[in-house]
Amino acid sequence: MNYYVGIDLGGTNVAVGVVDESCRIVGRADTKTRAFHPAQEIADGMVSTAMQAIADAGVSLDDVQWVGVGTPGTANPRTGVVGLAANLGFRNTPLGALVSERISKPVFIENDANAAAFGELMNGAAKGLDSVIMITLGTGVGGGIIIDGKIYSGFNYKGAELGHLGMVYNGVPCTCGRRGCIESYCSVSALIRMTRESMQLNAGSKMWELAEHSLDKVSGRTSFDAMRQGDPSAAEVVRQYEEYIAYAVSGIINLFQPQAVVIGGGISKEGETLFDPVRERTYAQCFNHEDHNCTKILQAKLGNDAGIIGAALLGRQYH
Ligand SMILES: [Zn+2]
């Protein structure tokens, strides 16, 4: 049996999984990331955690074919070098080589959002497809582009930043310094901002009760929960948020016409409450939407495991 180690290197935690040939996680381990320590120390932590996951899986290191790493920032899969990952303190860091020399296996590296998209393709919502766009609605908006079974991130590996596609000229300020990006309308942070704005205009809204009468306690769930309790201003917040997502997704579909757009992130757990209206509004704005041969809009399935499974199977792009 062949096994593959996937390392999801985050700013706070390192999550490792051992994945078998049928793309399932059969062993796990995790540890804290020693962010801003020398890269050698971070690599030490990654490899010792990988060895724990291999022990947890009950397999031998000889059965491990390769190691894949999903990292924040820009990752060059050809050289194994991370160009810039601000939340780890990496700058032109040869992460692939640092891991490889500690575990004596081939190492593939990739940006973490791209690895997560690849995981959904390998064993998640987009299993069996080969041209898929993933968009993750979290604190920010992440993206991954997969064309013909391979991750596409541009000639310099900095692409697939779908969250920073323009949506509204001169619109709401974005974390990237620009205005009007998809992230400033479709992220959970944007939904929280819209929820607070609506609460300030609607003193009687149920959203106040759900947020314990404090704007600081508003979450991505506040408007959805209040809508379910029949609150009209909450329903309007959700409707507006879904309009923004549909506008963003229809642009992505018009550009790529992928087999599927997979939507992930915490908010995707709202399920059909979110997906039904988003599908309807998206298709209404797409070219050829009346055609049955159109892009599917799917809820991500793997959650945090997408990054581990995608990283573990990165080598499948070449084998
Ligand atoms: Zn931006």
Side-chain angles (χ1 to χ4, degrees):
M1 219 20 196
N2 293 326
Y3 295 91
Y4 314 91
V5 172
I7 304 179
D8 185 13
L9 175 62
T12 319
N13 289 302
V14 182
V16 183
V18 176
V19 171
D20 68 10
E21 282 173 358
S22 53
C23 311
R24 281 180 311 222
I25 298 178
V26 295
R28 295 175 186 267
D30 58 70
T31 188
K32 291 266 170 258
T33 308
R34 306 196 72 192
F36 301 106
H37 284 250
Q40 290 84 349
E41 280 182 39
I42 294 178
D44 286 342
M46 291 164 71
V47 171
S48 61
T49 312
M51 296 310 292
Q52 288 168 29
I54 291 166
D56 184 55
V59 305
S60 139
L61 184 58
D62 291 339
D63 295 326
V64 171
Q65 302 303 299
W66 64 65
V67 177
V69 180
T71 170
T74 55
N76 183 330
R78 231 164 22 81
T79 60
V81 172
V82 178
L84 183 67
N87 58 347
L88 293 174
F90 286 172
R91 194 177 192 102
N92 295 324
T93 301
L95 185 65
L98 289 171
V99 173
S100 180
E101 67 201 23
R102 282 165 174 75
I103 199 165
S104 304
K105 295 286 173 187
V107 173
F108 299 96
I109 72 163
E110 187 50 76
N111 165 271
D112 50 7
N114 296 342
F118 196 63
E120 289 288 345
L121 184 88
M122 285 284 114
N123 203 30
K127 188 166 185 171
L129 305 180
D130 59 13
S131 292
V132 169
I133 311 292
M134 179 158 176
I135 178 160
T136 303
L137 311 177
T139 310
V141 172
I145 299 169
I146 296 166
I147 299 174
D148 296 334
K150 289 193 165 64
I151 293 167
Y152 181 79
S153 58
F155 85 99
N156 55 9
Y157 312 105
K158 293 179 181 174
E161 289 291 347
L162 299 172
H164 301 289
L165 277 180
M167 182 141 138
V168 177
Y169 173 71
N170 216 14
V172 173
C174 182
T175 54
C176 71
R178 213 165 72 121
R179 284 174 172 269
C181 296
I182 284 177
E183 180 166 301
S184 5
Y185 293 88
C186 299
S187 62
V188 175
S189 319
L191 174 61
I192 289 172
R193 182 191 72 238
M194 290 158 57
T195 304
R196 287 177 177 150
E197 285 167 2
S198 170
M199 287 164 66
Q200 285 169 309
L201 295 172
N202 298 286
S205 166
K206 275 246 187 302
M207 294 188 283
W208 281 107
E209 223 171 279
L210 291 174
E212 297 171 47
H213 301 279
S214 163
L215 290 175
D216 292 337
K217 297 212 168 140
V218 172
S219 76
R221 284 189 301 273
T222 307
S223 56
F224 279 90
D225 288 346
M227 176 182 74
R228 279 187 276 270
Q229 294 183 23
D231 185 77
S233 44
E236 178 55 24
V237 170
V238 171
R239 191 199 61 77
Q240 182 67 70
Y241 182 61
E242 289 165 347
E243 287 282 352
Y244 288 140
I245 296 173
Y247 190 76
V249 171
S250 60
I252 290 167
I253 292 176
N254 287 340
L255 181 58
F256 292 100
Q257 291 291 341
Q259 291 162 310
V261 172
V262 177
I263 302 179
I267 204 77
S268 69
K269 298 200 178 81
E270 291 291 342
E272 293 310 303
T273 308
L274 178 75
F275 280 80
D276 266 349
V278 164
R279 276 190 199 106
E280 187 183 322
R281 289 171 192 153
T282 303
Y283 291 141
Q285 300 177 61
C286 288
F287 284 118
N288 306 323
H289 68 276
E290 66 289 342
D291 187 335
H292 289 296
N293 189 23
C294 67
T295 301
K296 291 187 169 67
I297 298 171
L298 304 171
Q299 180 182 355
K301 265 191 186 167
L302 298 176
N304 294 335
D305 285 350
I308 295 174
I309 293 173
L313 298 173
L314 284 171
R316 290 265 179 101
Q317 293 176 97
Y318 319 103
H319 290 77

